[in-house]
Amino acid sequence: SCNYVVSLYIKTFRPIAPALSKTMMENKNNNGGFGGEESSIDGDILASILSKLPLLDLDSACHVSKSWNRAVFFSLRRLKTMPWLFVYRQRRLPPCTMAAKAMAYDPKSDKWIELITASPVEHVAAARSSHSTLLYALSPTKFSFSVDAFHLNWRHVVPPRVWRIDPIVAVVGKSLIVAGGVCVFEDDKLAVEFLDIEIGGGVWERCESMPDFLWNSASSTWLSVAASSEKMYVTEKRSGMACSFDPETRSWTELLDLSPVDEYGECKLYSRVIGSAGNRLIMAGITGKDYNPTGIELWEIVSSESPMNLKFESIGSMPKACFDKLRGVDSDWPLTSIALNAVGDMVYVHNATETGEIVAAEIEEGKLCKWRTLRNADATWNRSDAGERVIVACSNVSFSDLKSAFKDNLSFSVVSRI
Amino acid sequence: FHFLSRSQSNSLTTTRVLYKEIHNSTAHYFFRRISSLKLTKMSKKIVLKTSDGESFEIDDSIALQSETIAHLIGDDSASTSNGFPLANVTSNVLSTVIEYCKKHASVASEEELKKWDAEFVKVDDSTIFDLILAANYLNISGLLDLTCQTVADKIAACKDADEIRATFDIENDFTPEEEEELRRENQWSFQ
C-alpha cells in the first residue's frame, strides 16, 4: 500500500492550471465541454485528444473518470509512440552497481525525466548497450542482458564458452549472438556463438565464424552493430566493410561496402555507424576528415537481391548548428566516431567520447526532420562523476511498459527547465 | 441568380467574370479579373447556413477545406443556390472556422502559419471545445488537430488526475474501491 506512494510521479515544473470557465458547463445546446451527462466531446474525440498526450500524462488521464479511462484505452490505438532515449550510469569499480537514478528523454513532451529505481541492479562487469535496445554485461562467470523498455528486468545466463573481451553482442529474434572480441586463449578470434533465449537453461552453440576481413577489427571498438528482426548487420566504422549474419541459417553473407559515393565517385565518409530503426537499416556517417569533420549525413540502406547492389537513399543531413553542438566546446578535438541510437521513427546521435550535446531528429515520410539538440544536455554527461560509466540506450516505451514500471517501483520525476 | 457571362475554359488566360448578385433587393454588379496564375478554374461561392439562421457566403476554395462540404458539393449541386444547412454550428463558431480556413488557404510560409495558429488558439475553453466540435462535424483535419493539441497541452499542464478534474470540471465516478483496484492492477477498469 505504501509502496504505491513511491511510484506516483511528481512533476517539478508546471504552469498554473487555467482558471475554470463556468460557461463551459452551461448547456447551450449540449455544448458542455467534457463534463455533463450528455457530453458532446464524445469518446472518439476525447481519444483523439488523449492520443496527443505524452505517456506520463496519459497515466493521470486514465484516473480521471470512467469515460476518460475508456478513452485512454481507445487512444492507444492511434498513439504515435516516440522512442525514449535512456542514459544510465554504473560504478566503474566493483560492486558495479547501476545507479539508482537514470535519465530518460521523452521526445513527445520534449522533456527529460528522472527515473529512480528502488532496487538497482548489481553487475560484476561493465554494462554496455548494443543496437540501442540491448543492455548487457559480460563476465567470466555470467552473461547478463536486458531487452525490456526500462531495462529493469535482467536475465542471467552462463557466459559463452570462448572467453573474449569486447565482443559484439546482439539479440536477433530469439537468438543472442556473441561474436569476435579480443581473445587471448582462443585461436579463432572470429568465433561466433549463439544462444536461444527462449529456452530456459540454453547452451551456447558455435557456428560459422566472422569473415576474415574482420581479423584485425573484430571487437565492439571498431565495429558498429545493427539488429533487425531477422538479421544482424556488422560494419567496420572506418572502412565501411560490412556483412550480415542470419541466425536462422547461422551464416554470414558476402562482403558489403557501406560507402556511398557522390557524383564524383568519391566516398566522403571516414567513419560510419549503423542502426535499425523500425524496419529500415540506417547509416550515419561523418564526412570530411577526423581532424576536420565537415558534417554528418544519414542514409537508409536498401539492398536488393544481389548483395553488391546496395542502394543508399539519403534521408537527411545534420544541420550545422546541431553538428557544432554535437562536437561540443572542444571542437579542436578530432571527431573520431559517433554513436547512433535509432529506434522506430526517432534518431539520436552523439559524440562517442560522451562530450557535447545529443542531437535528435524524427523520421517522417522517410526523411529526417525536426532536428534539435536535447535541452538540459548537462543532464546527461555532466551528472556522472569520474567513478561512473555512462551507458546510452533507446527503446520504444508503450503505455503498458509504463504501467509495468510503476509496478516495479520505478518513480518518474519530470526535470524542470533550467 | 444567374451568371450573365461565364468562361467555361480552364485555360491560363485571364478571365473576366461577371457576377450578378441580389442583395437586399439591390443589384450589385462585380467585375473581377482573376489572375490566371492563381486559379485555373472559376471560383464558385458557397453559401452556408448556421443553426441560428445566418448565412455565410465563401469561396469554394475555402469551403472545400471541409471534407463534409466537399462531399455535399459532389453529391448534390442543386442545393448550392439554397445554401448548405449546418445544423450543429452557430454563426459565432462558423465565422471563427472561416477565419482559420481563409488563413490556411492563403499563401503563407509554414512558420507564419504556425505563429498564426498559436495566436488563433488563445481563446477561452468553451470556444476551443466549440471549435473542436465544429472541426469534427465539418471534417477539417488541420483545425481538428490544432484544437485537439491545444486541449492536450492543457491536460498535460495538469499535475495529476485531481487537477485535470478541477480544470475541466469532471466528476470522479470511480468508487474508492475501484480507484484502489485501478492503481493496483494493470487492467482497464471498464472490463
Side-chain angles (χ1 to χ4, degrees):
Chain A
S1 48
C2 269
N3 271 349
Y4 210 86
V5 175
V6 172
S7 39
L8 283 176
Y9 72 95
I10 323 124
K11 267 203 190 156
T12 53
F13 161 79
R14 90 202 55 80
I16 313 287
L20 172 64
S21 152
K22 271 300 179 191
T23 58
M24 224 172 57
M25 270 314 297
E26 277 156 12
N27 274 348
K28 27 171 186 143
N29 301 331
N30 269 346
N31 287 348
F34 286 134
E37 290 261 314
E38 294 172 38
S39 169
S40 35
I41 298 280
D42 70 3
D44 196 47
I45 299 181
L46 183 57
S48 291
I49 295 175
L50 297 178
S51 70
K52 298 184 190 296
L53 284 180
L55 275 183
L56 284 183
D57 299 300
L58 208 57
D59 179 63
S60 25
C62 78
H63 285 101
V64 168
S65 74
K66 286 184 183 167
S67 55
W68 274 56
N69 191 291
R70 214 171 310 144
V72 168
F73 176 75
F74 286 117
S75 77
L76 294 182
R77 250 179 256 156
R78 46 192 110 170
L79 200 65
K80 185 184 177 199
T81 53
M82 298 188 63
W84 291 20
L85 185 74
F86 293 87
V87 181
Y88 300 103
R89 288 172 294 126
Q90 182 194 30
R91 272 176 53 98
R92 283 187 197 275
L93 300 174
C96 307
T97 342
M98 300 289 287
K101 288 189 187 174
M103 296 295 292
Y105 172 78
D106 175 2
K108 205 165 180 188
S109 60
D110 191 25
K111 295 212 166 96
W112 283 97
I113 300 156
E114 189 177 63
L115 310 172
I116 307 174
T117 174
S119 37
V121 186
E122 196 178 296
H123 294 296
V124 291
R128 295 186 201 275
S129 84
S130 183
H131 59 78
S132 304
T133 49
L134 169 69
L135 286 197
Y136 66 93
L138 171 64
S139 79
T141 49
K142 67 178 173 181
F143 183 90
S144 313
F145 66 98
S146 172
V147 287
D148 62 290
F150 290 97
H151 302 107
L152 293 171
N153 302 311
W154 287 79
R155 280 187 57 184
H156 310 281
V157 294
V158 290
R161 294 184 203 177
V162 176
W163 170 240
R164 336 124 181 279
I165 300 171
D166 290 350
I168 55 165
V169 181
V171 169
V172 179
K174 57 184 174 84
S175 301
L176 173 63
I177 305 158
V178 173
V182 178
C183 304
V184 179
F185 305 109
E186 167 75 27
D187 286 339
D188 183 7
K189 60 178 178 179
L190 298 171
V192 178
E193 290 179 75
F194 70 94
L195 179 74
D196 186 329
I197 53 177
E198 279 173 13
I199 305 172
V203 179
W204 289 94
E205 287 177 47
R206 273 293 271 273
C207 59
E208 186 189 334
S209 296
M210 296 172 88
D212 286 335
F213 74 85
L214 293 172
W215 184 256
N216 284 324
S217 56
S219 77
S220 57
T221 325
W222 310 111
L223 301 177
S224 176
V225 181
S228 73
S229 50
E230 286 148 20
K231 291 213 178 126
M232 174 176 78
Y233 297 87
V234 170
T235 182
E236 245 184 26
K237 291 181 194 173
R238 287 267 149 183
S239 64
M241 303 308 225
C243 48
S244 79
F245 179 77
D246 184 345
E248 289 290 306
T249 60
R250 290 143 199 191
S251 60
W252 294 86
T253 59
E254 307 95 325
L255 179 66
L256 307 166
D257 187 5
L258 301 189
S259 300
V261 291
D262 58 15
E263 60 264 28
Y264 303 110
E266 269 184 54
C267 175
K268 291 275 167 54
L269 308 182
Y270 67 86
S271 176
R272 77 274 285 143
V273 281
I274 51 176
S276 178
N279 45 13
R280 307 175 199 93
L281 184 61
I282 306 264
M283 175 170 73
I286 321 176
T287 54
K289 301 263 180 276
D290 47 356
Y291 49 84
N292 185 18
T294 49
I296 293 176
E297 308 261 335
L298 289 100
W299 290 266
E300 181 181 340
I301 302 172
V302 183
S303 60
S304 49
E305 285 304 318
S306 152
M308 290 312 284
N309 230 351
L310 290 180
K311 262 185 28 177
F312 300 98
E313 287 182 19
S314 173
I315 59 172
S317 52
M318 190 180 288
K320 182 151 196 334
C322 292
F323 180 64
D324 290 339
K325 290 200 183 143
L326 178 140
R327 293 197 67 193
V329 275
D330 298 325
S331 48
D332 291 337
W333 282 84
L335 181 65
T336 34
S337 81
I338 50 177
L340 172 72
N341 278 284
V343 173
D345 290 334
M346 284 301 300
V347 165
Y348 301 94
V349 186
H350 66 267
N351 193 331
T353 56
E354 289 161 8
T355 55
E357 295 189 37
I358 304 177
V359 179
E362 286 174 43
I363 302 177
E364 242 169 60
E365 286 163 25
K367 298 279 181 240
L368 288 169
C369 59
K370 298 188 190 161
W371 285 94
R372 58 208 189 259
T373 54
L374 304 190
R375 286 187 284 175
N376 295 8
D378 63 331
T380 51
W381 322 129
N382 299 356
R383 269 179 171 237
S384 61
D385 53 51
E388 287 181 318
R389 304 182 49 254
V390 173
I391 307 127
V392 182
C394 178
S395 42
N396 240 328
V397 180
S398 71
F399 195 53
S400 50
D401 289 328
L402 192 72
K403 292 290 215 183
S404 296
F406 284 148
K407 278 172 98 180
D408 288 336
N409 284 334
L410 190 65
S411 83
F412 295 75
S413 157
V414 178
V415 176
S416 60
R417 222 195 284 205
I418 294 170
Chain B
F1 302 167
H2 59 273
F3 295 96
L4 296 182
S5 87
R6 180 168 23 168
S7 163
Q8 294 284 4
S9 74
N10 287 340
S11 68
L12 290 176
T13 52
T14 53
T15 321
R16 229 188 255 184
V17 179
L18 201 69
Y19 290 89
K20 179 180 174 183
E21 195 178 66
I22 298 173
H23 179 75
N24 286 344
S25 46
T26 321
H28 296 266
Y29 291 85
F30 296 100
F31 283 96
R32 221 162 155 202
R33 205 148 61 105
I34 298 163
S35 157
S36 59
L37 293 172
K38 285 227 166 114
L39 292 174
T40 53
K41 61 175 182 171
M42 232 178 29
S43 131
K44 258 168 73 171
K45 292 281 194 195
I46 309 279
V47 176
L48 303 173
K49 280 196 153 128
T50 63
S51 58
D52 49 350
E54 274 202 46
S55 287
F56 287 78
E57 194 185 71
I58 49 175
D59 274 350
D60 68 349
S61 61
I62 296 171
L64 289 174
Q65 287 186 43
S66 155
E67 289 205 27
T68 310
I69 294 178
H71 286 146
L72 288 175
I73 292 179
D75 286 342
D76 187 17
S77 46
S79 61
T80 321
S81 48
N82 292 330
F84 295 104
L86 304 175
N88 293 357
V89 191
T90 61
S91 51
N92 273 354
V93 178
L94 186 61
S95 61
T96 320
V97 172
I98 289 173
E99 213 186 296
Y100 173 88
C101 293
K102 276 190 177 155
K103 182 67 185 179
H104 280 254
S106 72
V107 178
S109 71
E110 259 205 62
E111 269 204 51
E112 198 191 315
L113 280 179
K114 270 203 170 131
K115 269 189 170 168
W116 190 91
D117 283 350
E119 286 302 314
F120 179 75
V121 291
K122 286 187 180 162
V123 290
D124 61 74
D125 285 354
S126 64
T127 314
I128 289 284
F129 285 118
D130 290 336
L131 285 172
I132 290 180
L133 292 170
N136 186 52
Y137 175 72
L138 292 169
N139 205 339
I140 305 172
S141 58
L143 182 59
L144 187 60
D145 262 347
L146 174 66
T147 45
C148 283
Q149 185 66 58
T150 308
V151 178
D153 292 343
K154 290 203 163 108
I155 298 172
C158 296
K159 168 177 61 176
D160 54 21
D162 285 329
E163 212 176 304
I164 298 177
R165 279 188 223 114
T167 310
F168 297 101
D169 201 16
I170 305 164
E171 199 194 308
N172 180 2
D173 55 356
F174 287 120
T175 66
E177 296 79 30
E178 282 169 336
E179 274 208 48
E180 190 48 48
E181 195 185 313
L182 187 63
R183 289 187 197 289
R184 239 186 313 118
E185 295 191 12
N186 202 356
Q187 304 263 329
W188 298 101
S189 73
F190 68 93
Q191 280 174 357

